[in-house]
Amino acid sequence: MNVIVAGAGRLGTQIAQVLAAAHNEVTLVDVDDDHVAELEGRIPVRLVAGDACEPSLLEHAGALSADLVIATTGDDEDNLVISLLSKRQFSVPRVAARINDADNAWLFDGRWGVDVAVPAATPLISLIEEATGATDTVALLRLSKAGVDVIETAITPGSRSAGRTLGDVELPEGTVVATIVRDGQPTVPDPSLRLRPGDEILLVSHTATEQEIHAAFQ
C-alpha cells in the first residue's frame, strides 16, 4: 500500500513508522523543514518537507499513486484542505483525517473528501485500523494481506525487561520493533536502547500472538 501521512508530529510519525514496518510504502510530509531534517535517518520512511496544503507538494509526495492519505496535522483547516485536494484533485481512494477540535467534527465528511474522520483522542491502533479500513478483532491490527499484525506492550516497574537493553529481549520469530514511545515521543528502536518503565513499544509480527509478545517483555 502506498501511503502519504501529512503532519510529522508524534501521531503522524508513529503512524508512518507502524505502516512502514508493515511493508507499506510511506511518505511523511511536514511543513517544518528543521523537524524533517531531525527525522532524517531516524525513521524508515520517505520524508518530504513542505506544505501538504499545496497541490504541487502533494503531487511531489506521490498523491497521484497513493492508496491512502492520512491528514494528522494539528490544524483542522489544514487537514480539511489536504483531504479535499487528495480526493478531488488526485482521486486518492481512501482519505482519513484527524479532528483536533470536536466543534469542527461536522465538517469532516465527504463534502471535504474525508472518508474516515478520527477524533484526536482515538488510540493509535484504532486510528490506523479506521484509516486503513482494517477490521481485525483482537486488540491487534491486521495491516496487509500478508497477515501482518501490530501489537502494543508497555514496560512497567515490574516488567522483567525494565533496565535491559532492547537487544537483550528475545523476540518471537518474525517479529520486529517498529517504534518505542518514550516521554510522548517516538524513539528509534536501537538494540542498545535501555528499556525503562513508561516505555510503550509497538511491534510488527507475521507469526507471534499478543500473549507471546507480552511474555517476552513482561
Side-chain angles (χ1 to χ4, degrees):
M1 186 164 57
N2 191 342
V3 185
I4 297 174
V5 179
R10 174 190 174 188
L11 179 63
T13 302
Q14 288 178 332
I15 291 172
Q17 288 181 278
V18 169
L19 291 175
H23 308 296
N24 296 288
E25 296 294 326
V26 181
T27 298
L28 180 60
V29 181
D30 197 85
V31 71
D32 187 335
D33 292 6
D34 292 336
H35 184 49
V36 170
E38 289 175 2
L39 292 174
E40 286 285 357
R42 293 181 53 196
I43 56 177
V45 305
R46 178 187 174 215
L47 291 162
V48 173
D51 189 351
C53 293
E54 295 290 336
S56 58
L57 189 285
L58 270 181
E59 184 172 356
H60 173 62
L64 287 170
S65 59
D67 301 299
L68 168 66
V69 169
I70 307 176
T72 67
T73 80
D75 188 309
D76 284 342
E77 291 182 5
D78 286 353
N79 289 342
L80 288 170
V81 170
I82 293 165
S83 298
L84 186 63
L85 286 172
S86 299
K87 181 65 69 175
R88 300 289 173 82
Q89 185 156 340
F90 298 104
S91 301
V92 176
R94 191 169 183 83
V95 178
R98 175 189 185 185
I99 304 170
N100 296 284
D101 185 342
D103 290 341
N104 295 328
W106 64 278
L107 290 166
F108 285 73
D109 59 20
R111 293 170 299 174
W112 280 92
V114 179
D115 296 306
V116 180
V118 188
T122 303
L124 175 66
I125 291 299
S126 298
L127 190 155
I128 301 177
E129 182 178 25
E130 289 289 331
T132 58
T135 52
D136 201 272
T137 48
V138 216
L140 309 176
L141 173 61
R142 197 165 297 279
L143 290 172
S144 71
K145 293 179 181 178
V148 178
D149 292 328
V150 171
I151 304 171
E152 289 182 285
T153 192
I155 306 301
T156 68
S159 299
R160 62 192 181 97
S161 58
R164 299 171 62 193
T165 64
L166 182 60
D168 288 336
V169 178
E170 186 174 347
L171 297 176
E173 185 177 353
T175 301
V176 296
V177 177
T179 187
I180 298 173
V181 181
R182 174 173 290 176
D183 298 327
Q185 297 297 322
T187 303
V188 179
D190 189 280
S192 64
L193 181 69
R194 197 165 295 279
L195 299 172
R196 65 191 194 198
D199 287 347
E200 299 173 21
I201 305 173
L202 294 179
L203 304 99
V204 178
S205 182
H206 290 275
T207 56
T209 65
E210 186 178 15
Q211 290 72 26
E212 289 172 328
I213 295 295
H214 290 330
F217 288 91
Q218 307 304 331

